[in-house]
Amino acid sequence: MKARSIKYLAAEGVKNIWANRLMSIASIGVLIACMVLIGMASLITKNVNKAISTLEQQNVIMAYFNDKNSVLYGENAPAQTDENVSVAEDSFLIHNDEEAKALCDKLSEIDNVLSVEYISSEAGLQSVKDTLLEGKEEYFTFLDEEYGNPLSAAAKITLADMSKFSETLSLIEATEGVDSVQSQSDLADKINAIKTGVGVAGVWIIAILLIISLVIVSNTIRVTMYSRKLEIGIMKAVGATDSFIRLPFVIEGMFIGVISAIFSMAIVYFCYRVATETLMQSLGVMEIIKFSSVALETFGIFVIIGLVSGALGSLFMISKYLKKEGSEFTAI
Amino acid sequence: MFVVGASGAGKSTFLKLIVREEQANTGVLKVNGYDLMKIKHQEIPMLRRTMGIVFQDFRLIPTMNVFDNVAFAMRVIGAPSRKVRKDVSAVLSMVGLGHKARSMPNQLSGGEQQRVGLARALVNKPKLIIADEPTGNVDPNLSYEIVSKLTEINKQGTTVLMVTHDHSLVRDFNHRVIMLEEGRIVADNAAGGEEA
């Protein structure tokens, strides 16, 4: 097709929007509604995922090492323990910080392990005091002064993918030098369930709204087509090709899509801003994705939805019309 | 050439076959160098560019002025704007509507509207003009004027195929007449007149 024809047809497509302005406004309105819902669904999904990943990072596995304290105070420790109990050096595997750190390195090599933080016996005790015994430290001085520090050295492990939680946990447990592990596997399961649920719901919502968008654009183009039946008939009679007849309708559909994308972007921005400000003020929620960080991506998605639904919707309708009803000589 | 026949005789079907809106099941059908029994779908627009069609109900686009209605036939086949301006002005002058180029269809009489239709059919310089009862919606004086114009075009070398019910026109213009009845040619009088 020649460039001048494309220019002429593009102008015709834009003119059609104005000529059928009521129908165009109605379609733009419905498309905006669909895009705003898609945008909000996508932003909510992103925020839920972010919240979940924060939760995931907090859901750590504590691997306690097989050191002297684990023998003295661990699950298999003798019933009566005191500081004078002697423990043979070969009855445990981790004897010092170097060995503990080497074990941490070994743990960090396990597939799906995101990070490993070494918590020495002393650091572990300090952490317990800081978190559990805040303000009452003096009542518990017996822990290290009288009986010594009972805690084993440990590794604080975070995982990359919570869906592989149990497999990774087994690998950690099986690592030589690890005495016991503590984890919240039920929390991991819940996180996985929420993640899957949010993902599936998001996909369904977006898919349904996309189909609605497509149907809406198709309908507008159908109305335009019937209102231009005479022109289409004359076009066919004077020898216009099918692609030439189709193009103005496709351009009209795409234009409607892009206009809708621009308005949707503005509405989503406004809604998101109001929603986030309210959440931050009322609930003090700080972990919310900034709109600016997803603005370009959201606008890109809107434009693609607009262009694709516009082009496909109109192509589908006009092709069907040209094939079945586009008669140029029905009146003859 | 006139094609005459009662309602249901097959005149419309004949025209639809020529423009390849319908396809014949058997036989031979060749128009302007195209074999319509073998023509491919993508070749149909090219076939139609070799012919001009004048409709009984004019079929002018009401939102376009006279110039644009005629120019439309050139624009849809991708003619350059300069050529569109030149040829449309020339053809409008030829049908005597050069001064009405900016008028809208509803500002014209029936005869004028049909002349715009004729100009649109002529503007791409077709080899064949198909006129489907072009005088059906105009008064008798204008009918003679339109058929005279078609005769003039025919004398310049363009084949004109006109379907009509108007026996007086067929009598008064001495052209070949094909009479159809129940889908068959029952008379073909090359000398003119309706007698078989």
Side-chain angles (χ1 to χ4, degrees), chain A residues 62-120:
Chain A
M62 289 300 292
Y64 293 97
F65 296 168
N66 181 220
D67 58 6
K68 188 179 174 184
N69 281 351
S70 78
V71 177
L72 280 171
Y73 308 106
E75 284 171 15
N76 302 319
Q80 295 293 321
T81 58
D82 64 49
E83 58 198 301
N84 300 320
V85 172
S86 62
V87 176
E89 284 290 308
D90 58 352
S91 63
F92 53 93
L93 295 166
I94 308 297
H95 299 92
N96 50 45
D97 270 4
E98 282 67 39
E99 285 178 1
K101 281 174 186 165
L103 179 56
C104 284
D105 291 342
K106 206 172 161 189
L107 288 170
S108 66
E109 283 165 16
I110 293 174
D111 191 34
N112 194 36
V113 167
L114 185 70
S115 68
V116 177
E117 189 191 336
Y118 172 55
I119 314 279
S120 66

Side-chain angles (χ1 to χ4, degrees), chain A residues 2 4-5 8 12 230-231 233-242 244 327-332, chain B residues 12 15-16 19 21 41 45 48-49 53 55 59-61 72-73 75-80 120 132:
Chain A
K2 293 166 189 166
R4 62 172 164 268
S5 300
Y8 169 72
E12 284 297 301
L230 176 68
E231 277 174 64
I234 297 166
M235 277 177 159
K236 288 186 90 174
V238 299
T241 55
D242 282 358
F244 192 96
S327 171
E328 51 279 55
F329 291 103
T330 37
I332 288 180
Chain B
S12 302
L15 292 185
K16 284 180 181 179
V19 298
E21 188 182 331
H41 181 76
R48 289 177 185 165
R49 288 177 194 188
I53 302 164
F55 300 96
R59 299 215 192 164
L60 302 181
I61 298 164
F72 185 68
R75 287 180 180 138
V76 298
I77 59 166
R120 185 178 60 198
D132 169 44

